[in-house]
Amino acid sequence: MEAVTGKKEPKERGNRKSSRFWRTFLQQKYLYMMSLPFVIWVFVFSYVPLWGWTMAFQKYKPMPTASLWDRVFDQKWVGFDQFQRLFTDDQFYLVLRNTLAMSFMGLIAGFVVPIVFAVLLNEVKNIAFKRVAQTISYLPHFVSWVVVAGIVIKMLSTDNGAVNDLLMWLGIIDEPYQFMAKEKWFWGIVTAADVWKETGWNTIIYLAAMAGISSELYEAARVDGASRLRQIWHITLPGIRSTIVILLIMSIGHLVSIGFEKQFLLSNNLVSDYAQVLDLYALQYGLQMSNFSYGTAINVFNSVVGIILLFSANGIFKKITKESIM
């Protein structure tokens, strides 16, 4: 009898799960239909192109007139030669240093500043001022990096640049300082420009999370005599902890994939050794020099490291804070 019961129980559980799934599917069929276009988009643009990773293991040569099968598989396979070349290239480690340095600076500044700004906005009682400040703060997000780079270069210019004029007016410097020609300033300039551009936009998520905190908690804290700083520390920040952890995990997963637009637009020949990042390195050596296999190997390295960082960060935070995105 037990043997029979033991055989039927898993099957019965499977049937119950299946019926529960279809019942939920029928109840939420419109939500599934709405999400279907986005699932298709992700599949077409994120998963289908993965076949291109095969180029990292080939000595790829374009074959415009050949069939798709021949263009992909009728190539000379070289195994891990491209990766061996990558890891023995001194320029790669210089680029990796720049990428990690700007990534960590951007992660710290671009993560802390929006939280602080969101907390400050949340404490503003004047609704009109709060809305105006929030609108002004996230407008730079919609401005192209081409325009932002032009603004930054003009403000730091030695020819009537606003920053140099202010510093000379305050008596801090006697003559214009060439910010854009100093290698040691480049990482900070890129980080500051990125924070200015994205802080307002990133703040929206935290403000939405704060809106979900019960007002009764603040009322009880005020009755107990808690100051506004105490309310922020014991109610506001714990209330958005889940949001902070999830966004931090996702940000860590993109540490080595920071793009190249801002570095490309703000750099010049004087700071090139501090400006080149992995994505720009792949662009220059992959597309401009028609070395597609080498460029693909760089991007494969980016993706693999990103996945490792994502799973590692998720595992660590899951043990420490019990929060996870998987």
Side-chain angles (χ1 to χ4, degrees):
M1 188 68 180
E2 292 180 359
V4 174
T5 305
K7 290 181 180 179
K8 287 185 176 180
E9 282 184 354
K11 186 175 181 181
E12 290 175 358
R13 284 198 298 268
N15 290 336
R16 284 198 298 268
K17 289 181 180 178
S18 178
S19 62
R20 193 183 304 119
F21 169 77
W22 287 111
R23 186 166 57 252
T24 305
F25 178 81
L26 291 175
Q27 291 174 349
Q28 303 179 0
K29 56 182 178 293
Y30 295 112
L31 293 177
Y32 282 104
M33 291 173 63
M34 290 173 63
S35 64
L36 185 61
F38 300 99
V39 174
I40 295 174
W41 183 89
V42 170
F43 178 78
V44 171
F45 291 99
S46 297
Y47 288 95
V48 173
L50 287 178
W51 66 265
W53 278 17
T54 57
M55 288 192 292
F57 306 95
Q58 301 171 337
K59 189 174 182 180
Y60 183 82
K61 293 182 179 180
M63 304 169 63
T65 59
S67 63
L68 178 60
W69 178 268
D70 291 337
R71 281 181 291 183
V72 176
F73 296 103
D74 192 17
Q75 301 285 343
K76 181 181 178 181
W77 295 86
V78 295
F80 291 94
D81 286 359
Q82 303 295 344
F83 294 95
Q84 183 178 358
R85 174 187 171 189
L86 178 66
F87 295 133
T88 55
D89 185 6
D90 293 336
Q91 183 70 15
F92 166 73
Y93 293 100
L94 178 66
V95 171
L96 185 61
R97 179 205 65 179
N98 298 339
T99 303
L100 293 177
M102 281 184 272
S103 294
F104 278 110
M105 291 174 67
L107 178 65
I108 296 171
F111 195 76
V112 174
V113 174
I115 295 175
V116 174
F117 186 57
V119 170
L120 294 176
L121 279 180
N122 190 59
E123 292 298 311
V124 174
K125 303 305 179 183
N126 188 320
I127 302 300
F129 176 80
K130 181 178 179 179
R131 290 177 177 175
V132 171
Q134 186 177 356
T135 302
I136 293 175
S137 67
Y138 70 65
L139 283 178
H141 171 78
F142 301 99
V143 178
S144 167
W145 262 112
V146 177
V147 178
V148 172
I151 294 174
V152 171
I153 292 172
K154 181 59 181 175
M155 290 187 66
L156 298 176
S157 173
T158 56
D159 184 17
N160 295 324
V163 174
N164 274 307
D165 288 349
L166 177 63
L167 293 177
M168 287 191 294
W169 181 73
L170 294 173
I172 298 176
I173 58 176
D174 297 326
E175 57 183 18
Y177 188 81
Q178 296 182 349
F179 290 97
M180 300 305 298
K182 303 296 182 180
E183 293 180 333
K184 62 181 181 181
W185 283 97
F186 184 78
W187 294 347
I189 292 171
V190 170
T191 302
D194 193 34
V195 168
W196 173 76
K197 188 176 186 297
E198 302 296 340
T199 291
W201 183 256
N202 294 334
T203 299
I204 295 174
I205 301 176
Y206 298 112
L207 286 174
M210 292 175 189
I213 301 174
S214 176
S215 59
E216 295 178 357
L217 295 174
Y218 292 102
E219 292 174 2
R222 283 193 291 270
V223 170
D224 291 339
S227 64
R228 297 182 74 173
L229 287 177
R230 286 288 184 181
Q231 293 175 40
I232 292 171
W233 185 256
H234 294 288
I235 299 176
T236 304
L237 293 179
I240 63 172
R241 188 186 68 174
S242 297
T243 304
I244 292 174
V245 170
I246 290 172
L247 293 178
L248 180 58
I249 292 172
M250 296 178 66
S251 298
I252 291 174
H254 291 86
L255 267 181
V256 294
S257 300
I258 60 174
F260 66 89
E261 295 89 349
K262 46 185 175 288
Q263 290 84 5
F264 178 75
L265 294 168
L266 290 171
S267 67
N268 54 65
N269 292 332
L270 297 175
V271 297
S272 58
D273 287 342
Y274 282 73
Q276 197 173 39
V277 292
L278 281 171
D279 288 332
L280 187 57
Y281 182 59
L283 177 66
Q284 292 176 345
Y285 282 80
L287 291 179
Q288 293 182 358
M289 300 178 65
S290 300
N291 196 342
F292 303 108
S293 296
Y294 190 61
T296 305
I298 299 171
N299 287 319
V300 170
F301 171 81
N302 275 356
S303 300
V304 172
V305 172
I307 292 172
I308 293 173
L309 289 173
L310 178 63
F311 279 93
S312 300
N314 185 72
I316 293 171
F317 280 101
K318 189 174 182 179
K319 287 185 177 181
I320 297 176
T321 64
K322 309 302 180 185
E323 303 287 346
S324 172
I325 63 174
M326 302 177 193

